[in-house]
Amino acid sequence: MSDVLKRALLTGADFEVIPLEGVLEKISSIEPGSTVSVTASPTRGMSPTLDLAIELQVRGLRAVPHLSARTIENRRDLASIIKRLDDGGVGQVFVTGGDGQPHGDYYDALSLLEDMAALGHPFLEVGITGYPEGHPLISSDRLHQSLLEKEKFATYVVTQMCFSPETIVDWVASIRADGVTLPIKVGVPGAVDPARLLTIGARIGVGDSMRFL
């Protein structure tokens, strides 16, 4: 791969960060205007994600907070989150089902997306998750059906990380055949310790391609 192509890919890449101590220092070299996605933790709740997303927006980055359905209590809680992000200038979100037991009314991404639509949210971009290698707790048929159901509420799909280009290509062909037309962003792991990647991959359902590690 040429240096020009590498530079072009990196320039157009979105970044994903975890809202932990020291993260602002670590991302200080990211170019202003870059898109930075902020994950949500089932144990820490939504507040750290919202705080960091708004701070990133203030610093000239395009923040994309993850809205984890299972960490949000009810429609009132959701409306408060939407208002806070809108007041902070955040123009896009990424909606996930989340891990663990539901903390309230929402048990998956679709139920949250439906209430967001009912509330008339202001976000211009709404991302949802794709699973090229499946999910450890959800059948392949249900994943495909869910993607079709969520498509009307979203503007793009981001895949879970996968180490097999062939698997991603096959999955894209499969969902296109199902009628999903949303743009797709491929999730690529960053410079992370391989042992940590193995732990994360096992939790989110990365399949045979994890043997690459």
Side-chain angles (χ1 to χ4, degrees):
M1 184 182 297
S2 71
D3 288 343
V4 172
L5 180 55
K6 289 178 182 178
R7 190 176 301 111
L9 290 172
L10 288 173
T11 300
D14 296 350
F15 300 89
E16 183 172 292
V17 298
I18 301 172
L20 297 175
E21 185 177 350
V23 66
L24 289 172
E25 180 182 351
K26 291 181 182 297
I27 64 174
S28 59
S29 60
I30 295 179
E31 289 289 330
S34 298
T35 299
V36 180
S37 183
V38 185
T39 65
S41 165
T43 57
R44 301 181 69 205
M46 286 299 307
S47 288
T49 297
L50 304 179
D51 291 344
L52 180 56
I54 292 170
E55 178 62 27
L56 294 177
Q57 197 72 31
V58 169
R59 294 182 179 219
L61 297 165
R62 298 178 67 235
V64 186
H66 288 206
L67 300 188
S68 178
R70 294 186 173 212
T71 66
I72 298 173
E73 292 185 7
N74 49 42
R75 185 178 284 195
R76 178 181 295 180
D77 188 20
L78 176 60
S80 176
I81 289 170
I82 290 173
K83 184 178 187 306
R84 185 177 173 193
L85 292 174
D86 189 33
D87 290 346
V90 176
Q92 55 181 316
V93 294
F94 182 74
V95 178
T96 70
D99 298 324
Q101 294 299 314
H103 290 190
D105 296 341
Y106 304 113
Y107 54 90
D108 62 8
L110 179 61
S111 59
L112 190 71
L113 287 164
E114 289 173 338
D115 262 13
M116 285 174 58
L119 288 168
H121 71 79
F123 306 116
L124 299 177
E125 298 282 345
V126 177
I128 55 176
T129 310
Y131 300 90
E133 294 188 278
H135 189 286
L137 302 177
I138 307 172
S139 70
S140 295
D141 288 345
R142 180 56 196 149
L143 284 175
H144 278 256
Q145 182 60 36
S146 176
L147 194 56
L148 286 168
E149 292 169 346
K150 292 185 292 185
E151 179 174 24
K152 64 181 177 181
F153 300 107
T155 57
Y156 64 93
V157 179
V158 178
T159 72
Q160 292 277 41
M161 67 177 180
C162 177
F163 301 98
S164 168
E166 293 81 8
T167 298
I168 294 171
V169 169
D170 290 345
W171 176 79
V172 171
S174 174
I175 67 168
R176 290 292 187 244
D178 285 345
V180 176
T181 60
L182 292 174
I184 298 168
K185 299 182 179 183
V186 177
V188 179
V192 180
D193 177 75
R196 181 168 174 78
L197 274 183
L198 283 169
T199 301
I200 295 171
R203 178 170 59 81
I204 65 177
V206 177
D208 287 343
S209 76
M210 202 157 59
R211 294 176 184 174
F212 170 83
L213 291 176

